Amino acid sequence: MESRKYPEPSVVREELIKKYPPKVAKKRGKAIVINDPETIPPVQANIRTIPGIISQRGCSYAGCKGVVLGPTRDIVNLVHGPIGCSFYAWLTRRNQTRPDGPEDRNYMTYCFSTDMQEEHVVFGGEKKLKKAIQEAYDIFHPKAIGIFSTCPVGLIGDDVHAVSREMKEKLGDCNIFGFSCEGYKGVSQSAGHHIANNQVFKHVVGLDDTDKGGKFKINMLGEYNIGGDAFEIERLLEKCGITMVASFSGNSTVGQFENSHTADLNVIMCHRSINYMAEMMETKYGIPWMKVNFIGAQSSAKSLRRIARYFEDEELMAKVEQVIAEELPVVQSVINEIYPRTKGKLAMLFVGGSRAHHYQELFGELGMETISAGYEFGHRDDYEGRKVIPTIKVDADSKNIEELKVTADPEKFKPRKTEEELEKLKAEGLDIREYEGMMPDMKKGSIVIDDISHYESEKLIELYKPDIFCAGIKEKYVVQKMGVPLKQLHSYDYGGPYAGFKGAINFYRDIDRMVNSRVWRLIQAPWEKTPELEANYVTQ
Ligand code: CFM
């Protein structure tokens, strides 16, 4: 395969920052790093975005309400705030759910808000919140109600936790808990993930000790069922005979969370959004955790094998091999068909906190290279691996977020494996409690960019002319107007699932269509044909 000629990475880096004022250039320069998988350079991450720079990021409320709690179908997720915050979080993430039957509740199609008005901002909104909780309870009788704080709630000092306690006591049979996830609480969605983890851990996990059976019991952490991904993963686990006790939180119920401490292993898909939960569950209940990745056919096979090895059960290992042997040939036949059309093409991925890493697997299977990638809100460990955690500087923004003090539960703590057993598994190559991050998997000379700005994206596209750019809806049409197809890796556009084996096939076909469509070469903007149409600013 003849490899393409790219501009020198150091030249690219310089180009990306040279138009910025010196202070901004200095700051952005630390977030734009030339990768070397052997000696990974530090990346500036999880710090405030420079005002006005046009970031891809969202807010803490989005990470808490939308991301972590949004996919749980039977919690009434009540937003305390102005209606816009609810409206823009209403079914926009394509997180799907499948109720077990007519008795199973599904509130995800609803939009619950206190619809805060100026009057409540001035005189306080707690009364209004209590009324809204009562109303939701009277109509739906849900098992649980979550209260999510938007910016004004924190500014005026409404106490959502006190209101939750009071109403929980009053109503008696409904678990009510609040989240101080005001949009400004951190530098990005990431803060909201942490806040969500804390409250679900405090108020829900561990409430139901029922042993629901199953020989190999796991929780799936950080899989949110976008475009039906969880359905495909569930299909595979079931086929292998692995029981999923709880999913945090794609296709989940509050009952699953309550029962999740009965599982024997936590597997993590998205490290960024849920590593806190895994650590807290290990400390309190003794459940070890392991990173997996069901994006990519090979990594799905690898993840199943690693789960089987953790349980050290011959029968399970054999079953997993059988499932892989059944599933992989179909995938391989599709790769064989598509590969000649996609090999050597160039991809760029700028997505939230884990997909920019995971999806490089799928592109790799198509012979495509990811020349540049970055997270919107990942932390240094998501780039460089967990080994850097002790060296991460905790700044004022991160200090805002509560660190729960968790200890072993006097009754429920039960180590699933002894430290010696875990060490033995580790020595055999099973990386328990480990995440190596994105950079070791990227080539030398690839460019890693944290919290990429709009301007930097445009420059990158000009310099590399990638065959596909992966990001979100805010970037989509700007990039496409530059003649480059954009695949939304948040919502999957209208596609998916992309996880597991069947998902991989869907992805290959969608990408083949996009990178080989001729329409992008035919596009010419009006001002390219007739330069006199170019927009001008009137300066007088
Ligand atoms: Fe995790 Fe996610 Fe992601 Fe994320 Fe998100 Fe998402 Fe994402 Mo959009 S939890 S970090 S906060 S994998 S909503 S399902 S696609 S930015 S890369």
Side-chain angles (χ1 to χ4, degrees), residues 68 193-194 197 220-224 247-249 267-279:
V68 179
H193 300 149
H194 196 166
N197 279 230
M220 177 68 64
L221 269 55
E223 206 305 308
Y224 300 96
S247 156
F248 291 77
S249 59
V267 297
I268 299 189
M269 273 285 284
C270 169
H271 173 265
R272 181 65 274 130
S273 60
I274 205 133
N275 67 88
Y276 323 95
M277 178 64 79
E279 290 196 51

Side-chain angles (χ1 to χ4, degrees), residues 67 93 193 224 226 270 273 351-355 376-377 489-490:
V67 173
R93 189 160 165 255
H193 300 149
Y224 300 96
I226 312 301
C270 169
S273 60
V351 209
S354 76
R355 294 187 170 186
E376 287 174 30
F377 50 75
L489 279 191
H490 300 260

Side-chain angles (χ1 to χ4, degrees), residues 67-79:
V67 173
V68 179
L69 271 298
T72 309
R73 64 176 165 267
D74 59 354
I75 299 181
V76 165
N77 285 331
L78 173 58
V79 177

Side-chain angles (χ1 to χ4, degrees), residues 15 73 76 192 281 288 370:
E15 275 293 316
R73 64 176 165 267
V76 165
M281 282 180 81
T370 305

Side-chain angles (χ1 to χ4, degrees), residues 331-529:
V331 179
Q332 196 52 52
S333 70
V334 180
I335 294 181
N336 294 346
E337 176 211 324
I338 290 175
Y339 191 89
R341 293 194 294 267
T342 47
K343 71 161 194 253
K345 303 249 185 219
L346 206 60
M348 290 181 176
L349 289 87
F350 293 94
V351 209
S354 76
R355 294 187 170 186
H357 180 197
H358 290 166
Y359 276 79
Q360 295 188 26
E361 292 277 342
L362 280 170
F363 283 117
E365 288 172 353
L366 291 175
M368 294 175 63
E369 189 186 339
T370 305
I371 190 75
S372 186
Y375 303 125
E376 287 174 30
F377 50 75
H379 297 198
R380 277 185 61 203
D381 36 320
D382 303 301
Y383 287 106
E384 305 166 52
R386 285 180 66 90
K387 60 185 175 304
V388 302
I389 290 177
T391 66
I392 296 177
K393 233 178 41 225
V394 183
D395 60 13
D397 292 297
S398 302
K399 272 193 199 133
N400 264 336
I401 303 157
E402 188 188 11
E403 278 292 341
L404 294 187
K405 299 227 169 2
V406 182
T407 52
D409 188 289
E411 277 132 43
K412 297 183 189 177
F413 180 80
K414 178 173 67 100
R416 304 318 201 255
K417 301 244 181 214
T418 62
E419 269 313 309
E420 295 77 61
E421 285 169 331
L422 289 173
E423 282 308 319
K424 188 179 143 263
L425 285 174
K426 271 200 222 169
E428 289 166 17
L430 203 64
D431 42 355
I432 311 258
R433 300 181 193 128
E434 196 44 87
Y435 176 47
E436 298 282 346
M438 173 206 280
M439 289 164 87
D441 287 338
M442 289 185 75
K443 267 200 183 160
K444 190 172 168 135
S446 54
I447 300 186
V448 171
I449 308 177
D450 183 65
D451 187 19
I452 195 170
S453 76
H454 192 112
Y455 172 77
E456 292 156 16
S457 319
E458 285 192 20
K459 273 278 157 212
L460 265 189
I461 291 172
E462 276 172 35
L463 293 164
Y464 283 105
K465 304 190 175 44
D467 297 289
I468 194 159
F469 194 91
C470 299
I473 188 66
K474 299 194 291 287
E475 298 78 36
K476 186 171 177 93
Y477 298 100
V478 179
V479 172
Q480 294 195 157
K481 282 175 187 170
M482 296 174 83
V484 173
L486 186 141
K487 180 69 197 164
Q488 289 192 64
L489 279 191
H490 300 260
S491 71
Y492 299 165
D493 295 295
Y494 315 99
Y498 291 145
F501 300 110
K502 290 194 173 167
I505 294 173
N506 290 337
F507 192 77
Y508 304 150
R509 295 215 182 280
D510 284 353
I511 295 305
D512 179 28
R513 270 194 290 271
M514 294 182 84
V515 299
N516 289 306
S517 165
R518 289 210 260 157
V519 70
W520 309 107
R521 273 169 272 153
L522 302 174
I523 293 175
Q524 217 185 358
W527 56 87
E528 288 172 318
K529 281 186 257 170

